[in-house]
Amino acid sequence: MGGSRAQVNKQHKTRFASKSSRNLHKTSEKSRIGKTERNVAKGARAARVQRSKMLREQKRAALLKEKRASSGSASPPRVIVLFGLSADVNLNSLAEDLLSLLSPQGYEPAFPTVASPEYKLRTTVLKAPHGDLPTCMEMAKVADLIAFVASASSSCEGRTSDYIDSFGSQCLSVLRSLGLPSTVVLIRDLPADMKRRHDSKKICTSSLASEFPEDCKYYPADTKDELHKFMWLFKEQRLSIPYWRSQRAYLMAQKVDVVADDSNLGKCTLLLTGYIRARSLSVNQLVHVSGAGDFQLSKMEILKDPFPLNARKEQDVMDSDEVGDAEVLRSLVPDPMKQEALLVENVPDPLAGEQTWPTEAEMAEAEQSQKQKKKKKRALPRGTSEYQAAWIVDDTDEEESSTDDEADGMILDERDSGYPGQDDNNYSDESDDQASIRDSDGETDVDSVMMEGENLTKEQLENEIRKIKQAHADDEEFPDEVDTPLDSPARKRFAKYRGLKSFRTSSWDPKESLPAEYARIFAFDNFNRTQKNVLAKALGMDQENNDDCATAGSYARLYITEVPTSVASKLCMHAKTIPVVACGLLQHESKMSVLHFSIKKHDTYNAPIKSKDELIFHVGFRQFIARPIYSTDNMNSNKHKMERFLHPGRFSMASIYAPISFPPLPLIALKSSEGVAAPPTVAAVGALKCIDPDRIILKKITLTGYPQRVSKLKASVRYMFHNPEDVKWFKPVEVWTKCGRRGRIKEPLGTHGALKCIFNGVLQQSDTVCMSLYKRAYPKWPEHRFPILDA
């Protein structure tokens, strides 16, 4: 029955078959892809697998290298900073217990650095003095581990935590802004009973958990066994430091010496001895000594390590009288062709502004601009010839000629003048017609609008203005509002100010009327590109291990030249209580420019901070004195409004004259106290944002007047100016009201500065008429640059 009638089904197509394999029979033999070429996809997958494996191996090797560099025998000693969270904590006993555990044979009390063969670890233990914020900040900048010490028996009432007092809370917030390295919390003074001890530790941990990072560990630190457990865990811990510290080489001086320079009176050579950390330091680099300034190196010596992990070598060093007698292994001398020049300020060319004969390009540009002026259409009477039109003066020409009469005259941005959606000429004609119609009404006649205040004396005028301002101050606060002077013309008092049609869109030339200080600073054509090249150059120098570099972990002595003798003597005194840090500078970082910081007033500082007040800026390892101005940060405009004070609760931009520094870098701004002996207090915190001398910061003032007669769109305004010449001078500037009306000045009224205004809507009698004027503001050049000169 089957035979030819047997059912034949199609071959089943699996869902895993590719489209190319299903349609393979449709292609000819010549166009079919060879078997080896069809396996290209498989080869690409194998390449991806191999690349992923290679990246994993590179990361593993980098991690292993970092671990060896931080904990190996060639790494510098780890710096542990003990910080007491309250004044009740006894740091001296804890430091003695740690050092005796690490070095039972003894240690150097002046600079407690010990090498422990048992733990295979070298450690430097520093104690942060409670109440001295600048010293705590300097120690935190060089710390590999900050051990916050809490006392379980202490109780600080009225604070966020029972174990942190007011200074501890303030210092914690500052250290967070500075960038915290690896942190632990050591708990002391726990009860002897095991149950009470466990409960007390649990309570202390839960109370402090909100103040520290999530990965922060808590250790009891009363007995030797507990400290032994902590040190073993610390030895194996992978330490993390802020990113800004890994970009520059630095040295924390264990010894500070001074060598007199007979050839140069008042100068000397400063000798700093210590371990080079983070990166390799070149003898051709400039270095910054914290609080003292930027200097060049005359020589750098690589010394024998005074704290080796080998027990025999350690015994040899302990037998010696002084650590400073270390053997010199290698001496590095700077190359005059490669050494970075100590260039701080630009030397301006006095002939750079001289008038010269115009070039062909300038003459061609002038001809082109002249042709464009001829193409502009003007409303002229019918039948006027081109020769006659040349003698007709526009209103804008009269205004421009009047502004040229004064050297510091008003400059008005006339772009987009007039109201939106209206033509200038049509609007002026329409307003004149409306004025003529409304002038026929008795209420708007010029004679009836004359001010009753013309017969008042100067004292009566001031009292009346003061009463009106006091009445309007309760309604709304205007921080930019200023009074027009009575004894001098407003056109002279506000000669440097100009009006803007739109703060966001109106143009302002950043190169116009620059101060003399701008001839002393440097600017970048492309800052981002320069920063990228400088950082790549520094990374290449660190990886190449050149002959003029001392690698990270080396014990070296720096010879810093041309240091003032008074500064060197103060550094020797400070070295007993505060770390003296010298950090290597990147290319261009000694030159002055305009730096902008994102800054916020600190919560613990209640006094007002005014623009151009002197502050001590801690930017990374560097310290300098600056007098900033504050401004807003507008994202939609290239112009930013100046703020007279640093307001609490929000971020502002602080602009200063300072040496160039490449971000990211933290900022801690300190304010010197009125008392001579009192240390400076923290005033603001923030971070470096950019370097841009062309950033436009505008100071705004608002002149106010008050309507006396109102008739629909027109009003007579008094007390904005006090003579008619000022009204004519400021006539091109637009006026506005607090209720949202906008208008213009039509003409002066009388002889005491009253004026007639026309608005785009009906004006209320209780409204206030305002005029906004702007001028560009600049930071103030500091009288002295470094804080150690004031110490």
Side-chain angles (χ1 to χ4, degrees):
M1 294 295 292
S4 61
R5 295 186 179 182
Q7 182 177 354
V8 179
N9 296 326
K10 286 184 178 181
Q11 186 181 3
H12 178 67
K13 296 180 181 178
T14 61
R15 61 192 182 115
F16 299 104
S18 63
K19 185 182 293 185
S20 60
S21 64
R22 292 198 301 266
N23 299 330
L24 187 63
H25 64 283
K26 296 181 181 181
T27 59
S28 62
E29 291 291 337
K30 295 182 180 180
S31 62
R32 286 185 183 180
I33 303 175
K35 182 177 180 181
T36 56
E37 297 181 3
R38 288 203 309 269
N39 294 333
V40 173
K42 297 182 180 179
R45 181 178 179 280
R48 290 197 303 271
V49 172
Q50 182 66 22
R51 176 173 174 80
S52 300
K53 181 181 178 181
M54 181 182 65
L55 291 176
R56 285 196 303 270
E57 290 178 353
Q58 289 179 353
K59 290 181 180 179
R60 188 179 295 110
L63 186 60
L64 184 60
K65 181 181 178 181
E66 180 184 353
K67 184 176 181 180
R68 288 174 178 173
S70 61
S71 60
S73 59
S75 63
R78 293 187 173 187
V79 180
I80 301 178
V81 175
L82 303 179
F83 180 83
L85 294 177
S86 63
D88 301 334
V89 177
N90 187 2
L91 295 181
N92 295 325
S93 62
L94 178 59
E96 291 177 0
D97 294 343
L98 281 175
L99 292 172
S100 60
L101 181 67
L102 292 171
S103 178
Q105 297 85 6
Y107 55 89
E108 183 71 24
F111 201 91
T113 300
V114 294
S116 176
E118 179 184 358
Y119 296 97
K120 295 181 181 180
L121 183 68
R122 297 188 296 175
T123 309
T124 300
V125 181
L126 301 178
K127 296 174 292 185
H130 193 83
D132 190 354
L133 181 62
T135 303
C136 294
M137 289 172 51
E138 291 302 307
M139 289 185 177
K141 290 177 185 179
V142 298
D144 296 317
L145 177 77
I146 298 182
F148 294 97
V149 186
S151 177
S153 61
S154 65
S155 178
C156 303
E157 298 180 356
R159 304 299 174 189
T160 57
S161 175
D162 293 338
Y163 305 96
I164 306 177
D165 60 4
S166 58
F167 176 78
S169 178
Q170 180 190 25
C171 202
L172 262 178
S173 64
V174 171
L175 296 184
R176 290 192 202 102
S177 303
L178 196 62
L180 281 175
S182 299
T183 57
V184 296
V185 176
L186 302 180
I187 305 175
R188 302 272 287 181
D189 303 330
L190 291 171
D193 184 59
M194 291 302 297
K195 187 177 184 308
R196 292 180 54 201
R197 186 182 187 86
H198 178 72
D199 294 342
S200 180
K201 179 190 173 185
K202 189 175 180 180
I203 294 173
C204 184
T205 302
S206 61
S207 179
L208 297 174
S210 61
E211 300 292 334
F212 298 99
E214 295 180 358
D215 58 348
C216 183
K217 304 296 183 181
Y218 298 83
Y219 300 99
D222 284 324
T223 63
K224 184 176 181 180
D225 293 338
E226 292 170 345
L227 292 176
H228 176 74
K229 179 182 176 181
F230 161 68
M231 291 307 302
W232 272 111
L233 295 174
F234 169 63
K235 174 185 176 297
E236 299 297 333
Q237 184 179 1
R238 182 191 175 192
L239 300 180
S240 61
I241 61 174
Y243 176 76
W244 62 269
R245 276 172 52 179
S246 63
Q247 298 300 301
R248 296 164 180 82
Y250 65 95
L251 179 143
M252 183 178 65
Q254 293 186 347
K255 190 176 182 182
V256 180
D257 295 320
V258 176
V259 176
D261 190 357
D262 298 333
S263 60
N264 194 354
L265 297 178
K267 303 287 185 178
C268 64
T269 301
L270 182 67
L271 275 61
L272 300 182
T273 307
Y275 290 93
I276 295 176
R277 303 170 186 269
R279 281 195 173 183
S280 299
L281 179 64
S282 173
V283 72
N284 296 318
Q285 279 183 266
L286 298 176
V287 295
H288 174 85
V289 181
S290 295
D294 305 334
F295 305 98
Q296 285 182 324
L297 295 177
S298 62
K299 187 171 63 171
M300 183 165 56
E301 294 177 347
I302 309 299
L303 307 177
K304 186 178 179 180
D305 197 337
F307 303 103
L309 285 176
N310 189 296
R312 182 179 57 82
K313 294 181 179 179
E314 183 180 2
Q315 187 64 33
D316 294 340
V317 174
M318 293 296 293
D319 292 339
S320 62
D321 295 334
E322 292 184 358
V323 177
D325 298 335
E327 178 185 352
V328 178
L329 302 180
R330 190 158 57 105
S331 181
L332 306 178
V333 180
D335 185 358
M337 301 299 295
K338 297 181 181 180
Q339 189 175 22
E340 186 83 14
L342 184 58
L343 186 59
V344 178
E345 298 180 11
N346 183 31
V347 180
D349 185 6
L351 301 179
E354 290 292 326
Q355 180 67 36
T356 58
W357 189 259
T359 61
E360 295 181 359
E362 293 174 344
M363 295 179 68
E365 184 180 356
E367 292 179 0
Q368 186 68 20
S369 62
Q370 189 69 21
K371 291 179 181 179
Q372 292 178 356
K373 288 183 179 180
K374 291 181 179 180
K375 292 180 181 179
K376 292 182 179 179
K377 295 182 179 180
R378 293 190 298 172
L380 299 174
R382 183 176 299 177
T384 305
S385 64
E386 184 178 356
Y387 177 79
Q388 293 173 334
W391 291 93
I392 297 178
V393 181
D394 292 339
D395 294 338
T396 57
D397 297 337
E398 293 178 356
E399 294 172 2
E400 292 174 0
S401 62
S402 64
T403 57
D404 293 338
D405 294 340
E406 297 282 345
D408 293 331
M410 278 263 313
I411 303 175
L412 173 67
D413 187 348
E414 295 181 351
R415 193 176 72 175
D416 299 330
S417 60
Y419 297 115
Q422 294 177 335
D423 187 76
D424 295 344
N425 296 329
N426 295 336
Y427 176 76
S428 60
D429 296 340
E430 180 183 356
S431 60
D432 291 340
D433 295 339
Q434 293 177 355
S436 61
I437 293 173
R438 294 188 179 90
D439 284 345
S440 60
D441 192 1
E443 292 182 357
T444 58
D445 189 70
V446 174
D447 297 333
S448 63
V449 183
M450 297 298 290
M451 305 301 143
E452 303 91 347
E454 292 187 2
N455 298 326
L456 297 179
T457 62
K458 179 179 177 180
E459 290 77 10
Q460 292 174 338
L461 278 174
E462 290 179 349
N463 293 333
E464 190 170 356
I465 294 173
R466 191 180 300 108
K467 291 178 183 178
I468 296 176
K469 286 185 177 294
Q470 184 64 32
H472 285 77
D474 299 334
D475 182 29
E476 191 172 359
E477 182 180 4
F478 275 78
D480 302 319
E481 199 169 298
V482 297
D483 295 330
T484 306
L486 295 172
D487 52 352
S488 63
R491 61 185 181 275
K492 293 184 178 180
R493 171 63 181 83
F494 307 120
K496 295 182 179 180
Y497 290 83
R498 67 180 72 176
L500 290 179
K501 175 64 179 177
S502 171
F503 185 85
R504 184 178 65 86
T505 60
S506 297
S507 61
W508 194 296
D509 187 7
K511 306 294 185 183
E512 177 188 358
S513 302
L514 297 177
E517 288 81 7
Y518 264 56
R520 305 163 63 180
I521 66 173
F522 295 84
F524 296 103
D525 291 335
N526 190 330
F527 174 73
N528 294 330
R529 182 179 61 193
T530 304
Q531 180 182 5
K532 183 179 179 180
N533 294 337
V534 168
L535 295 179
K537 182 180 177 181
L539 181 61
M541 183 186 68
D542 184 53
Q543 295 176 350
E544 289 175 1
N545 294 328
N546 297 328
D547 296 336
D548 59 351
C549 294
T551 58
S554 304
Y555 189 73
R557 181 185 292 126
L558 306 183
Y559 289 78
I560 304 174
T561 60
E562 296 187 1
V563 180
T565 307
S566 59
V567 172
S569 61
K570 290 180 181 179
L571 285 174
C572 292
M573 295 175 59
H574 292 172
K576 301 176 182 178
T577 57
I578 185 171
V580 177
V581 182
C583 72
L585 299 181
L586 302 177
Q587 189 180 6
H588 308 303
E589 283 198 330
S590 66
K591 302 172 184 176
M592 297 289 287
S593 188
V594 181
L595 278 63
H596 306 284
F597 296 85
S598 179
I599 192 171
K600 181 181 179 181
K601 190 175 181 180
H602 200 262
D603 297 336
T604 61
Y605 194 81
N606 299 322
I609 304 177
K610 191 178 180 181
S611 286
K612 300 184 180 180
D613 278 356
E614 197 172 85
L615 296 176
I616 302 174
F617 274 49
H618 287 246
V619 183
F621 289 112
R622 309 179 78 174
Q623 302 177 24
F624 45 80
I625 294 176
R627 307 183 70 175
I629 60 171
Y630 308 108
S631 61
T632 59
D633 188 14
N634 295 333
M635 302 298 293
N636 301 326
S637 175
N638 63 341
K639 295 179 286 296
H640 312 273
K641 180 178 172 295
M642 176 186 166
E643 296 178 341
R644 291 174 173 82
F645 292 89
L646 182 60
H647 300 286
R650 60 186 175 91
F651 280 91
S652 300
M653 295 294 291
S655 304
I656 62 171
Y657 292 116
I660 293 171
S661 298
F662 292 103
L665 284 173
L667 165 67
I668 307 295
L670 302 182
K671 180 78 171 176
S672 298
S673 303
E674 296 180 358
V676 179
T681 57
V682 59
V685 296
L688 176 61
K689 187 171 183 180
C690 63
I691 300 174
D692 185 13
D694 292 339
R695 188 176 188 270
I696 300 174
I697 302 173
L698 299 183
K699 181 180 179 180
K700 177 185 176 181
I701 62 170
T702 302
L703 306 181
T704 56
Y706 306 96
Q708 187 183 24
R709 298 285 188 273
V710 176
S711 177
K712 295 184 180 180
L713 302 182
K714 298 170 62 176
S716 57
V717 181
R718 60 176 178 175
Y719 300 144
M720 181 177 287
F721 304 106
H722 301 295
N723 58 72
E725 288 77 12
D726 290 342
V727 178
K728 295 178 182 178
W729 179 266
F730 290 96
K731 184 179 179 181
V733 184
E734 186 185 48
V735 295
W736 53 277
T737 69
K738 294 182 180 181
C739 292
R741 303 301 182 196
R742 308 191 76 85
R744 62 182 180 87
I745 299 174
K746 184 181 179 183
E747 60 183 357
L749 299 176
T751 60
H752 282 65
L755 54 132
K756 180 186 288 187
C757 299
I758 302 177
F759 296 92
N760 61 349
V762 178
L763 189 68
Q764 299 179 7
Q765 183 70 45
S766 60
D767 207 346
T768 303
V769 182
C770 305
M771 177 184 291
S772 298
L773 302 176
Y774 304 89
K775 77 169 182 178
R776 188 171 176 183
Y778 302 91
K780 197 164 185 180
W781 195 274
E783 298 175 359
H784 43 276
R785 294 175 51 202
F786 300 108
I788 198 171
L789 301 177
D790 298 336

